Amino acid sequence: MKNRIKVFRAMNDLTQEALANELGVTRQTILAIEKGKYDPSLELAFKIARYFGVGMDEIFIYE
Amino acid sequence: MKQNFFYILAGIAGLVEVCLFYLSVEFSNPMLITIGFIAGVLLLYMAYRRVSDRQVDERLALINQKAGMATFMVFWVIFFATSLGSAVIGLGAPRFPHHLPSGKGEPGLPDRSMNIPDSVLGSGGHIPDNGSIRLGYFGYMQLAFLFLMFFLYVGFRVYYARKYGEWETDEEQD
């Protein structure tokens, strides 16, 4: 599964650390998701989408 | 409670357990170390729950869960195989516990006319109980397996942590 978290972070001028703190996870988890090493749970995926104010399908692309 | 304080507490608990093990052997009282170990683990568990600055998110939980499960599966197979082997040894023993013919004196003491060397006899001139000796060796083996499982867990932990991007770096890395 691919994702566009890095793009949305850049658009919102957010660091991985700041986003991780907002979502209550570690920075390493955000990094692992961005690099495609870890697929987040449905709950975390919804949190990410809700944080950026977009739909989940705009951030996560299932391939 | 800070996480570093918890690590110090764990170190102290470990030292206390070593002392308890020594005392347990010294006084030939297995309950001392058994109860002491369970109490130590409970103490550490309660202390761990009070650590305020630990951050375990879903990815770390998944890594721990997978490493624990993989270790448990290996442990189960090895421990069961060893236990089966030990059971076969136990069942195949001609008599349990093993006794040599007693002399005319105190029951349980061997016949002195058999000239059994003192090195073979245990304390008090009794024949060492072969069954107990085997159980003792089984205990050593169990401890060795447990230590091996600890290292195996660390190995699985490293494997899954690498798989789920624990040591990935990018431009934001310090």
Side-chain angles (χ1 to χ4, degrees):
Chain A
M1 190 161 67
K2 286 189 175 179
N3 66 79
R4 299 172 64 216
I5 294 177
K6 198 168 186 174
V7 176
F8 277 90
R9 269 200 312 111
M11 284 163 59
N12 289 272
D13 196 22
L14 267 176
T15 62
Q16 288 169 345
E17 187 78 51
L19 179 61
N21 288 338
E22 290 291 337
L23 299 171
V25 295
T26 59
R27 190 191 74 83
Q28 210 62 29
T29 295
I30 299 296
L31 175 58
I33 295 171
E34 283 184 2
K35 292 218 165 191
K37 288 274 185 175
Y38 172 69
D39 291 332
S41 66
L42 202 54
E43 186 183 358
L44 182 57
F46 269 111
K47 275 185 183 176
I48 293 169
R50 186 169 294 179
Y51 181 79
F52 289 121
V54 294
M56 246 190 0
D57 57 339
E58 287 186 60
I59 296 185
F60 297 99
I61 304 115
Y62 182 71
E63 290 186 330
Chain B
M1 181 194 297
K2 296 283 182 190
Q3 192 146 15
N4 285 342
F5 182 74
F6 171 77
Y7 289 137
I8 293 170
L9 192 68
I12 293 170
L15 287 174
V16 171
E17 294 296 339
V18 171
C19 292
L20 278 179
F21 182 73
Y22 174 79
L23 289 174
S24 194
V25 172
E26 195 71 15
F27 296 124
S28 300
N29 185 357
M31 290 307 285
L32 192 61
I33 183 63
T34 305
I35 293 171
F37 185 77
I38 292 170
V41 169
L42 284 176
L43 177 79
L44 286 180
Y45 176 71
M46 285 190 290
Y48 187 71
R49 291 185 64 177
R50 288 174 185 270
V51 174
S52 54
D53 59 341
R54 74 187 157 103
Q55 193 177 16
V56 180
D57 63 6
E58 60 178 45
R59 188 182 58 89
L60 288 173
L62 182 71
I63 291 169
N64 290 336
Q65 182 190 340
K66 286 204 174 248
M69 188 54 75
T71 308
F72 177 72
M73 285 169 72
V74 173
F75 177 77
W76 192 90
V77 171
I78 291 179
F79 195 75
F80 191 72
T82 312
S83 299
L84 280 177
S86 301
V88 168
I89 292 171
L91 290 170
R95 278 182 295 172
F96 183 81
H98 184 70
H99 289 297
L100 287 179
S102 296
K104 292 177 181 175
E106 186 186 338
L109 286 177
D111 190 345
R112 282 292 173 189
S113 64
M114 293 175 72
N115 292 325
I116 300 170
D118 286 342
S119 58
V120 174
L121 299 174
S123 59
H126 288 269
I127 301 292
D129 187 335
N130 285 344
S132 299
I133 291 170
R134 284 199 199 99
L135 285 175
Y137 283 135
F138 186 60
Y140 286 135
M141 203 159 58
Q142 278 181 305
L143 280 177
F145 279 145
L146 284 171
F147 277 111
L148 278 176
M149 289 307 128
F150 174 75
F151 289 110
L152 193 66
Y153 175 78
V154 172
F156 277 127
R157 180 77 175 66
V158 169
Y159 169 76
Y160 284 110
R162 183 185 289 269
K163 185 177 176 184
Y164 293 116
E166 183 72 30
W167 294 289
E168 291 287 323
T169 55
D170 66 356
E171 68 275 9
E172 283 190 27
Q173 197 79 30
D174 292 332

